[in-house]
Amino acid sequence: MSAAWIPALGLGVCLLLLPGPAGSEGAAPIAITCFTRGLDIRKEKADVLCPGGCPLEEFSVYGNIVYASVSSICGAAVHRGVISNSGGPVRVYSLPGRENYSSVDANGIQSQMLSRWSASFTVTKGKSSTQEATGQAVSTAHPPTGKRLKKTPEKKTGNKDCKADIAFLIDGSFNIGQRRFNLQKNFVGKVALMLGIGTEGPHVGLVQASEHPKIEFYLKNFTSAKDVLFAIKEVGFRGGNSNTGKALKHTAQKFFTVDAGVRKGIPKVVVVFIDGWPSDDIEEAGIVAREFGVNVFIVSVAKPIPEELGMVQDVTFVDKAVCRNNGFFSYHMPNWFGTTKYVKPLVQKLCTHEQMMCSKTCYNSVNIAFLIDGSSSVGDSNFRLMLEFVSNIAKTFEISDIGAKIAAVQFTYDQRTEFSFTDYSTKENVLAVIRNIRYMSGGTATGDAISFTVRNVFGPIRESPNKNFLVIVTDGQSYDDVQGPAAAAHDAAK
């Protein structure tokens, strides 16, 4: 009996397809392993024998009653109640693929959701057999040489030095076309393979951008490179406009959730593939992604030719969509051919955690109030230097309705709120107001100014999820107590 071999995504990974039970109904069931999947059985109906003692927590099961073919057969059988964890005979029936496999907790196994898969199966009680469910699969396939295939155990933990939750946002528009779409999937598969996916390493998912975005699979669906490669291969071309901005927003808001498998304290990354140019606003989408703590990488391929530039809304869309325009978060490839040499450099970037600074706690989700000394000892020229200093700090933050917020108070013996957190929601307006602040002149009462700011500026936004910071810009000693109000401000911020 010979084995059938097919290449997966052209990545040098081969899949061993177990032949169905030979002969008639009277043939003995084939002993399989705990992790043999439905897609490994290429028969409309097959009798198999599941071993006993399989670790329930390691089963990969997608669906309920009808299971995606990437599911473990024995796991599905336990989940449905056909067998117990002591193993036994199971009959497997192949079924067509379907949309939306449900997640159900049954018989000690929590099956998982899957949005779409190309093939399915269901299981029933199999015929009894004298074979023992020992956990050792009968050899049913051999390579052409006749020698037993030596299986290399897959490392399940993955690359622990590259912990990241990554969404690949691929271009599925008519702009890329079917042929380049397949080349794109091939490249993404190579990147996923080199990342070292595993339970303690990177987790990845896939979103397709087209007329309407679609999450193809989530972070929690697959934790092995082999399963991810299968899932990428099964993704179909959708077509439509390349609404990358719309897809990026959707990914930031719907993909990186606890229910979908996001892990606490692990960098969240979306790698956006753009063939040519996006059809919508990607700058705003990049800001939204950063508000949700997501690092945005842009991989641009085949820049628009001069005749196409008139169709591009913003030729600098890459620089505006990424977290920082420093070259780290953008990556360009001339075309989809011969891309193997680009895989390793991209993977190295995705695994450089110290550069992953685009999070909610960094540049965008803070409330900063500047307490500016307007006393006589400062002088007009130095006061202008203070305003320039404040402006330079404000420039580094993403100021928006849902992002960083800036306020300013000038103080002498009296206090004057120049503008509050809710007055201006764009960086341009904030900087313009700072430049036009008028110098008060007078004495110096820093303690009173701190109390005033905590009460009147931070008080109204007490329920804000942003972190609060008070920056005091002064030239010298105060005439009143500063230590007490400062301690009170710390207590109020807790």
Side-chain angles (χ1 to χ4, degrees):
M1 189 178 294
S2 62
W5 294 82
I6 61 172
L9 288 172
L11 302 178
V13 177
C14 290
L15 312 175
L16 177 59
L17 308 181
L18 299 177
S24 63
E25 287 287 316
I30 302 169
I32 61 176
T33 71
C34 300
F35 307 108
T36 300
R37 299 165 297 180
L39 57 82
D40 296 324
I41 304 293
R42 295 299 176 96
K43 286 283 187 179
E44 291 186 3
K45 179 175 67 176
D47 289 303
V48 299
L49 184 67
C50 286
C54 294
L56 297 183
E57 67 278 3
E58 293 188 18
F59 277 134
S60 293
V61 179
Y62 305 91
N64 180 45
I65 303 177
V66 175
Y67 302 93
S69 63
V70 74
S71 303
S72 159
I73 293 173
C74 298
V78 175
H79 183 265
R80 196 177 179 192
V82 170
I83 60 173
S84 68
N85 198 36
S86 60
V90 177
R91 177 161 286 183
V92 184
Y93 295 90
S94 295
L95 298 171
R98 60 164 52 186
E99 300 279 343
N100 300 323
Y101 295 87
S102 59
S103 172
V104 175
D105 188 354
N107 300 310
I109 296 177
Q110 175 68 60
S111 69
Q112 301 181 58
M113 295 184 299
L114 194 59
S115 61
R116 185 179 67 85
W117 199 255
S118 61
S120 310
F121 69 90
T122 191
V123 290
T124 62
K125 186 73 175 177
K127 60 183 179 178
S128 59
S129 171
T130 56
Q131 280 184 295
E132 293 183 359
T134 61
Q136 297 297 320
V138 173
S139 176
T140 59
H142 300 277
T145 60
K147 295 180 181 180
R148 178 78 60 87
L149 176 67
K150 184 177 180 181
K151 184 177 179 182
T152 303
E154 185 176 1
K155 292 183 178 179
K156 296 181 180 179
T157 57
N159 182 5
K160 296 180 182 180
D161 295 328
C162 184
K163 284 188 176 182
D165 288 339
I166 302 172
F168 292 113
L169 178 54
I170 62 175
D171 188 344
S173 67
F174 288 135
N175 191 47
I176 191 172
Q178 179 71 64
R179 185 188 182 203
R180 286 182 293 171
F181 179 76
N182 291 335
L183 292 171
Q184 177 186 214
K185 290 200 301 179
N186 194 354
F187 178 76
V188 172
K190 291 176 182 178
V191 173
L193 187 64
M194 184 171 284
L195 279 170
I197 296 167
T199 54
E200 298 181 39
H203 291 183
V204 304
L206 191 74
V207 182
Q208 185 174 173
S210 56
E211 195 70 35
H212 302 287
K214 181 182 179 184
I215 297 175
E216 301 289 352
F217 58 90
Y218 289 94
L219 295 164
K220 70 177 184 179
N221 289 144
F222 309 108
T223 55
S224 75
K226 182 168 60 175
D227 289 341
V228 168
L229 296 182
F230 269 116
I232 293 172
K233 182 183 177 183
E234 294 295 322
V235 172
F237 177 61
R238 293 176 63 82
N241 288 323
S242 56
N243 292 328
T244 309
K246 183 178 180 181
L248 179 55
K249 281 186 183 178
H250 184 76
T251 304
Q253 295 169 339
K254 304 296 183 182
F255 181 89
F256 292 101
T257 66
V258 174
D259 289 341
V262 72
R263 295 170 290 176
K264 187 176 182 180
I266 302 296
K268 293 181 287 187
V269 183
V270 56
V271 184
V272 184
F273 291 89
I274 299 177
D275 187 298
W277 68 92
S279 304
D280 58 351
D281 185 3
I282 194 172
E283 178 184 4
E284 180 186 352
I287 293 173
V288 171
R290 295 197 292 277
E291 302 300 341
F292 280 85
V294 178
N295 297 272
V296 179
F297 276 79
I298 303 291
V299 179
S300 57
V301 185
K303 290 182 178 179
I305 60 177
E307 292 78 8
E308 297 171 330
L309 287 176
M311 303 172 65
V312 183
Q313 292 187 18
D314 189 348
V315 293
T316 60
F317 66 86
V318 172
D319 292 340
K320 292 182 178 180
V322 296
C323 165
R324 279 181 157 185
N325 181 18
N326 58 2
F328 178 80
F329 292 96
S330 57
Y331 198 66
H332 180 70
M333 300 189 299
N335 53 59
W336 287 112
F337 301 95
T339 56
T340 301
K341 63 184 178 182
Y342 298 104
V343 173
K344 187 175 180 180
L346 179 57
V347 169
Q348 288 174 335
K349 285 194 172 192
L350 297 179
C351 293
T352 308
H353 292 171
E354 61 269 18
Q355 298 251 26
M356 303 290 188
M357 298 299 291
C358 304
S359 66
K360 294 184 74 173
T361 59
C362 230
Y363 299 106
N364 36 46
S365 284
V366 291
N367 300 321
I368 304 177
F370 291 98
L371 192 51
I372 305 169
D373 188 346
S375 62
S376 302
S377 60
V378 172
D380 187 71
S381 60
N382 286 333
F383 184 75
R384 292 297 137 196
L385 290 176
M386 283 183 172
L387 296 184
E388 184 179 352
F389 172 75
V390 170
S391 294
N392 288 336
I393 295 177
K395 284 178 184 177
T396 64
F397 290 88
E398 296 291 347
I399 302 170
S400 69
D401 286 334
I402 57 175
K405 294 178 174 61
I406 306 294
V409 174
Q410 185 179 174
F411 71 97
T412 58
Y413 281 139
D414 298 316
Q415 305 85 30
R416 184 173 73 199
T417 302
E418 303 293 351
F419 59 96
S420 66
F421 290 122
T422 56
D423 288 340
Y424 304 103
S425 60
T426 68
K427 186 180 299 186
E428 291 76 13
N429 287 341
V430 167
L431 296 179
V433 175
I434 291 173
R435 284 194 298 269
N436 291 320
I437 291 176
R438 292 179 292 106
Y439 179 40
M440 289 174 62
S441 185
T444 308
T446 310
D448 283 348
I450 293 173
S451 300
F452 174 88
T453 307
V454 171
R455 182 174 62 254
N456 295 286
V457 177
F458 287 103
I461 51 111
R462 187 174 290 107
E463 302 303 319
S464 170
N466 291 5
K467 289 190 174 182
N468 296 324
F469 294 90
L470 175 59
V471 179
I472 303 173
V473 187
T474 182
D475 79 329
Q477 188 173 356
S478 174
Y479 290 110
D480 64 351
D481 174 57
V482 176
Q483 186 173 356
H490 278 294
D491 292 339
K494 292 180 181 179

